[in-house]
């Protein structure tokens, strides 16, 4: 999530280049709203992308317009509402909205790639946390399956899909409608 349409500041381009190197190291695909063309509603595309990813990275720069910043923080809010992990990368002089002042961010500058490495080391450990949360919440199949979905999105490990199916079966809700929340959630 960042300024995509021209002109894009050289600093944003530099941040994206540095970030891309780190993402490649961790074998994480980079996508943004311009990398997918659906021919449909743009906001619906953004929502679908948010649902499909485990992590959203916002890049902000003090030169961005208020409208661009509003869009970025709207998307961060959506991600957080859906339980997705988020990371804010900002230039030194960038200001964040008051609701985000407590949000930890990575500042672009000296040690940037090292800070990203620290973030991704922690990020991949979230899958273990989500797996544990799923076990704790086994009596709540919706939350349990959701946590397993989050772990799967981070790692791609099929064991989380199998565990989710087991939670679904153990909950004795298999006879429910095919469009029940649980039946829809299990299809990740």
């Amino acid at each position: 999530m960042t300024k995509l349409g021209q002109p894009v500041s050289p600093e944003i381009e530099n941040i994206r280049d540095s970030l891309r190197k780190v993402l490649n190291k961790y074998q994480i695909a980079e996508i943004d709203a311009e990398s997918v063309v659906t021919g449909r509603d743009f906001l619906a595309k953004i929502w679908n992308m948010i649902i499909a990813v485990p992590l959203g990275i916002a890049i902000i720069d003090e030169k961005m317009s208020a409208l661009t910043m509003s869009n970025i923080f709207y998307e961060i809010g959506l991600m957080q509402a859906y339980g997705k992990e988020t990371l804010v990368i900002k230039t030194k002089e960038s200001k964040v909205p008051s609701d985000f002042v407590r949000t930890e961010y990575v500042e672009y500058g000296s040690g940037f790639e090292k800070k990203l490495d620290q973030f991704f080391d922690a990020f991949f450990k979230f899958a273990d946390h989500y797996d544990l949360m799923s076990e704790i919440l086994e009596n709540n199949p919706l939350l349990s399956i959701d946590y397993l979905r989050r772990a799967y999105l981070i790692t791609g490990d099929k064991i989380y899909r199998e565990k989710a199916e087991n939670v679904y079966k153990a909950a004795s809700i298999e006879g429910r409608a095919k469009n029940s929340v649980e039946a829809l959630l299990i299809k990740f």
Side-chain angles (χ1 to χ4, degrees), residues 29-109:
E30 174 192 9
I31 61 170
D32 61 37
E34 289 184 341
S35 64
V36 176
V37 177
T38 64
R40 296 191 172 155
D41 180 74
F42 197 78
L43 188 54
K45 175 172 72 169
I46 300 278
W47 287 342
N48 287 332
M49 293 172 85
I50 285 171
I51 294 299
V53 299
L55 169 66
I57 300 174
I59 303 171
I60 62 169
D61 176 20
E62 70 273 6
K63 297 176 194 101
M64 287 180 175
S65 72
L67 289 174
T68 299
M69 291 286 275
S70 297
N71 285 340
I72 291 169
F73 282 98
Y74 168 78
E75 292 167 13
I76 290 173
L78 277 176
M79 295 212 62
Q80 291 179 348
Y82 282 115
K84 305 296 181 149
E85 301 301 326
T86 58
L87 173 64
V88 176
I89 298 172
K90 67 184 236 32
T91 57
K92 185 174 179 127
E93 301 301 321
S94 296
K95 304 285 187 245
V96 295
S98 61
D99 287 349
F100 289 89
V101 294
R102 293 185 354 211
T103 300
E104 189 174 23
Y105 57 84
V106 173
E107 190 171 280
Y108 182 67

Side-chain angles (χ1 to χ4, degrees), residues 124-160:
F124 286 110
K125 291 177 185 168
F126 292 154
D128 292 333
H129 168 72
Y130 292 148
D131 187 27
L132 175 63
M133 291 302 297
S134 171
E135 290 176 20
I136 292 170
L137 296 167
E138 193 171 339
N139 290 332
N140 185 334
L142 275 177
L143 283 176
S144 183
I145 292 167
D146 183 57
Y147 276 114
L148 291 166
R149 180 186 54 81
R150 293 179 197 195
Y152 173 78
L153 285 172
I154 291 171
T155 66
D157 191 340
K158 292 180 183 175
I159 189 72
Y160 297 120

Side-chain angles (χ1 to χ4, degrees), residues 13-28:
E13 290 180 9
N14 291 339
I15 292 170
R16 288 191 76 170
D17 288 344
S18 296
L19 176 61
R20 195 170 292 119
K21 288 177 195 170
V22 175
L23 292 174
N24 286 337
K25 180 167 73 172
Y26 290 97
Q27 298 178 343
I28 298 173

